[in-house]
């Protein structure tokens, strides 16, 4: 399959927005052994889009377009492709009814400009879009197949899974590449890399990639080729990497988050948690509540930013605060114990630190965070960590929440294995 990708949008030609949709589409195509032969970006210009589409359809079997399906006047991909294909745009009453229903569902009036999205290129097949108002379209042009996708990455993702992947599977006879992902939290990238040396020696460097984001490292394994050997190779690689990384691995899929994994572990242990947060301002509790059903194990949390509230709401003694300062081990431990005493949760998770950019000192520089986990079922297993995170305020707060959740996860693993 000779393939090409065309990203439409004037904003993609400027300095503000990068075309990431084509990267995502290239990755999906690669899974099916389809290499991209051409990529281009065209502004919101009907004639220019039509010219590019004609040219790409002449030279490729598959042409994927993203962007320009919206309701505003600058969204002209539909018109341009209709012109290139020599077809008319026809109004689809069923599509209009669907659009109106969608707006009604969100208690909104539909602006008349949205009616443009009910126009369909004659002879094209509509591909329903559950995540937005513009459906995708597919149509033949010469010997090529065209797909028109909306530009919003979140909508594109849904349409890829629902429509593009099945099409590619039919056309190419299935996957030519499989990947697996293992995720670890709060281990530096270089340390992960060091631990993976034996796996590199065994399987080669190329099929194992280490991807880093703040507070999280993903190790992605890729196996290519046909047949059963591929799955077996992927399995062997994954098992070896898992063994080398040990209990630091918290997830075995790309999508799983730390808050999800912690939730599953808490529910399995029939345990509850409450948080006591200073520098994260409730981020840890917020992340735990992202998971539906979190009320099974999360009792709640206290955001105690001032010393006075640390005392009033968490029972941290004024002496400890005066002697050690708010950012200290004794205060973190007292916060964790205090929130357990007041909520009756089994686990108390507390953080206090200096997120910056100001407020640091020689002794306690920006990025210093004390974390404490109190386990009422086994007080001697309670832990404290002092860490120093790099980065700006946002990163420091995020990494703090990562480490806090991971401390709880590791405690649950340890408690469960005995
Ligand atoms: P909608 O139905 O939301 O109007 P659309 O097809 O009109 O979708 P655009 O208006 O082109 O899409 O883009 C919507 C959003 O998606 C914009 O924020 C834009 O920056 C982003 N976007 C568009 N194309 C790309 C791309 N190739 N890569 C990454 N982001 C993109
Ligand atoms: Mg646009």
């Amino acid at each position: 399959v000779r393939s090409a990708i065309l990203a439409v949008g004037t904003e993609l030609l400027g300095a503000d927005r990068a075309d990431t949709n084509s990267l995502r589409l290239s990755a999906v195509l690669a899974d099916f052994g389809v290499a991209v032969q051409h990529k281009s970006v065209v502004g919101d210009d009907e004639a220019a889009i039509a010219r590019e589409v004609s040219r790409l359809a002449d030279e490729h079997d598959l042409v994927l377009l993203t962007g320009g399906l919206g309701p505003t006047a600058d969204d002209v991909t539909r018109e341009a492709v209709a012109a290139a294909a020599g077809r008319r745009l026809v109004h689809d009453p069923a599509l209009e009814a669907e659009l109106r229903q969608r707006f009604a569902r969100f208690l909104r009036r539909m602006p008349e400009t949205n009616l443009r999205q009910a126009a369909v290129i004659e002879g094209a097949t509509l591909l329903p879009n559950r995540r937005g108002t513009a459906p995708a379209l597919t149509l033949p042009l010469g010997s090529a197949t065209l797909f028109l996708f909306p530009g919003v990455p979140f909508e594109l993702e849904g349409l890829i899974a629902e429509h593009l992947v099945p099409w590619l599977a039919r056309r190419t006879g299935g996957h030519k590449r499989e990947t697996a992902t293992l995720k670890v939290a709060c281990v530096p990238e270089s340390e992960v890399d060091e631990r993976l040396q034996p796996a590199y020696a065994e399987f080669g460097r190329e099929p194992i990639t280490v991807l880093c984001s703040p507070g999280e490292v993903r190790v992605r394994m890729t196996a290519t080729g046909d047949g059963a050997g591929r799955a077996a190779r992927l399995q062997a690689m994954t098992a070896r990497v898992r063994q080398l990384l040990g209990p630091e691995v918290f997830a075995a899929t790309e999508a799983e988050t730390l808050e999800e994994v912690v939730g599953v572990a808490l529910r399995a242990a029939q345990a509850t948690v409450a948080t006591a947060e200073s520098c994260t301002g409730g981020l840890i509790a917020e992340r735990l509540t992202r998971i539906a059903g979190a009320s099974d194990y999360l009792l709640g949390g206290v955001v105690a930013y001032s010393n006075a509230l640390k005392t009033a709401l968490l029972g941290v003694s004024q002496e400890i605060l005066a002697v050690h300062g708010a950012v200290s081990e004794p205060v973190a431990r007292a916060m964790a114990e205090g929130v357990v005493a007041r909520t009756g949760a089994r686990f108390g998770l507390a953080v206090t630190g200096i997120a910056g950019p100001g407020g640091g000192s020689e002794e306690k520089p920006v990025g210093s965070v004390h974390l404490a986990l109190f386990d009422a079922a086994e007080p001697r297993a309670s832990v404290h960590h002092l860490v120093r995170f790099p980065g700006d305020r946002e990163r420091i707060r995020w990494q703090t929440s990562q480490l806090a959740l991971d401390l709880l996860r590791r405690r649950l693993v340890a408690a469960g294995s005995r």
Side-chain angles (χ1 to χ4, degrees):
V1 181
R2 298 168 303 162
S3 74
I5 299 173
L6 172 57
V8 175
T10 302
E11 76 273 19
L12 303 171
L13 295 170
D16 301 325
R17 266 266 169 21
D19 162 30
T20 55
N21 286 349
S22 69
L23 302 181
R24 183 64 195 114
L25 289 168
S26 300
V28 174
L29 292 169
D31 284 345
F32 291 90
V34 176
V36 176
Q37 269 141 358
H38 184 97
K39 259 172 51 164
S40 39
V41 177
V42 175
D44 297 304
D45 172 334
E46 195 176 320
I49 300 167
R51 264 198 315 277
E52 187 69 2
V53 166
S54 301
R55 193 171 74 78
L56 293 177
D58 271 348
E59 295 167 9
H60 301 87
D61 307 304
L62 176 64
V63 181
L64 305 177
L65 282 81
T66 73
L69 296 183
T72 55
D74 62 354
D75 292 314
V76 291
T77 299
R78 259 186 230 86
E79 288 78 1
V81 173
R87 297 181 188 221
R88 291 189 309 139
L89 275 178
V90 290
H91 180 79
D92 184 331
L95 198 50
E96 179 185 339
E98 251 175 63
L99 279 170
R100 290 196 184 280
Q101 267 167 29
R102 191 183 161 81
F103 274 85
R105 222 173 28 249
F106 296 110
L107 307 178
R108 286 166 55 198
R109 182 187 69 82
M110 187 177 95
E112 288 309 299
T113 51
N114 274 84
L115 271 182
R116 297 187 54 222
Q117 294 186 299
V120 180
I121 301 172
E122 208 173 19
T125 305
L126 284 176
L127 308 173
N129 173 6
R130 284 174 222 286
R131 298 180 171 185
T133 53
L137 295 167
T138 181
L139 70 152
L141 177 50
S143 59
T145 300
L146 264 53
F147 279 89
L148 280 56
F149 294 116
V152 181
F154 172 71
E155 295 181 27
L156 175 65
E157 202 53 48
L159 290 158
I160 286 173
E162 239 176 296
H163 306 293
L164 183 59
V165 163
W167 187 90
L168 285 166
R170 279 198 305 278
R171 181 65 190 259
T172 64
H175 278 89
K176 299 287 183 284
R177 185 180 89 155
E178 276 176 79
T179 61
T181 302
L182 296 175
K183 300 210 281 188
V184 303
C186 305
V187 182
E189 185 182 15
S190 48
E191 191 181 324
V192 170
D193 199 61
E194 192 177 79
R195 286 203 226 163
L196 290 181
Q197 294 303 323
Y200 295 147
E202 209 170 311
F203 300 99
R205 191 107 206 173
E206 313 77 57
I208 304 172
T209 321
V210 177
L211 302 152
C212 186
S213 54
E216 196 163 297
V217 174
R218 281 171 296 155
V219 182
R220 190 182 296 153
M221 286 123 314
T222 305
T224 53
D226 275 314
R230 187 181 64 208
R233 226 171 22 257
L234 187 65
Q235 211 169 31
M237 243 188 300
T238 309
R240 185 75 173 112
V241 168
R242 197 182 245 290
Q243 179 195 35
L244 293 168
L245 296 177
E248 324 285 12
V249 173
F250 74 83
T253 64
E254 189 76 42
E256 252 173 316
T257 60
L258 203 41
E259 53 267 32
E260 214 173 321
V261 172
V262 165
V264 169
L266 281 167
R267 186 177 282 119
Q270 298 190 310
T272 55
V273 64
T275 62
E277 305 184 53
S278 187
C279 61
T280 43
L283 179 59
I284 300 167
E286 189 276 325
R287 288 186 61 186
L288 287 166
T289 56
R290 285 181 196 185
I291 307 306
S295 57
D296 288 352
Y297 46 80
L298 174 70
L299 298 188
V302 173
V303 178
Y305 214 56
S306 69
N307 285 358
L309 278 195
K310 287 184 180 75
T311 302
L313 298 181
L314 295 168
V316 180
S317 85
Q318 287 171 355
E319 275 142 78
I320 295 186
L321 282 161
V323 173
H324 302 277
V327 178
S328 63
E329 172 173 354
V331 169
R333 285 190 183 270
M335 287 168 70
E337 265 193 75
V339 80
V340 163
R342 279 160 172 71
T343 61
R346 170 173 164 186
F347 293 107
L349 197 49
V351 300
T352 174
I354 300 161
S361 66
E362 183 110 345
E363 197 198 339
K364 296 175 183 177
V366 168
S368 304
V369 182
H370 287 268
L371 301 95
L373 173 68
F374 182 75
D375 182 351
E378 211 179 328
R380 275 177 312 144
S382 299
V383 291
H384 159 265
H385 279 254
L386 165 61
V387 286
R388 194 158 306 153
F389 289 122
D392 60 11
R393 187 173 176 85
E394 201 40 53
R395 280 188 175 216
I396 290 167
R397 284 153 48 91
W398 176 259
Q399 292 175 97
T400 301
S401 73
Q402 283 286 98
L403 182 54
L405 291 172
D406 203 50
L407 285 179
L408 179 53
R409 180 191 69 84
R410 277 189 267 173
R411 173 73 202 118
L412 283 159
V413 170
S417 65
R418 273 178 305 106

